[in-house]
Amino acid sequence: MERYHSAVIRPPSPLKGCTRNITCAVLEAIHIVYKSDPDIYLDELQYWLAIHHDIAITVPALHQNLEDARLTCKILHKIAAECDEVLCTKWKDP
């Protein structure tokens, strides 16, 4: 009788962690978009992904994917500064 009513141990889930919605190729394309337009907002990037790559993703999921890819605000500002020739020369010349 006890083996029928003992504690149930769930098998481990085959899914580990969050599923990635954005592939490496799309992340590279996002990096290029940020180089050309560093002031783009996440909702604009969300729309761009839907149009150009047929990816439907929420803004929080997009933010999480960008953080996982190490495209943080600090890195994006660095990308923007590298695109601006005046700021780039100021940075290079002490």
Side-chain angles (χ1 to χ4, degrees):
M1 179 70 95
E2 190 170 309
R3 70 175 191 194
Y4 295 114
H5 299 292
S6 62
V8 177
I9 299 174
R10 289 186 176 198
S13 174
L15 301 175
K16 300 290 183 193
C18 298
T19 57
R20 183 167 291 266
N21 294 325
I22 299 178
T23 62
C24 289
V26 175
L27 282 173
E28 190 65 32
I30 289 172
H31 195 274
I32 292 168
V33 166
Y34 271 113
K35 278 189 173 186
S36 65
D37 186 14
D39 294 329
I40 193 168
Y41 289 103
L42 286 178
D43 60 338
E44 296 170 336
L45 188 60
Q46 177 190 29
Y47 181 73
W48 181 83
L49 286 171
I51 297 298
H52 295 283
H53 292 279
D54 198 30
I55 294 175
I57 188 169
T58 63
V59 172
L62 177 60
H63 179 268
Q64 187 63 46
N65 275 275
L66 292 177
E67 271 192 352
D68 291 346
R70 308 251 193 269
L71 284 176
T72 60
C73 198
K74 183 178 179 180
I75 298 296
L76 297 175
H77 284 291
K78 182 178 180 252
I79 292 170
E82 288 173 354
C83 292
D84 189 357
E85 292 296 324
V86 175
L87 288 176
C88 189
T89 55
K90 280 184 183 178
W91 180 78
K92 287 180 181 177
D93 298 329

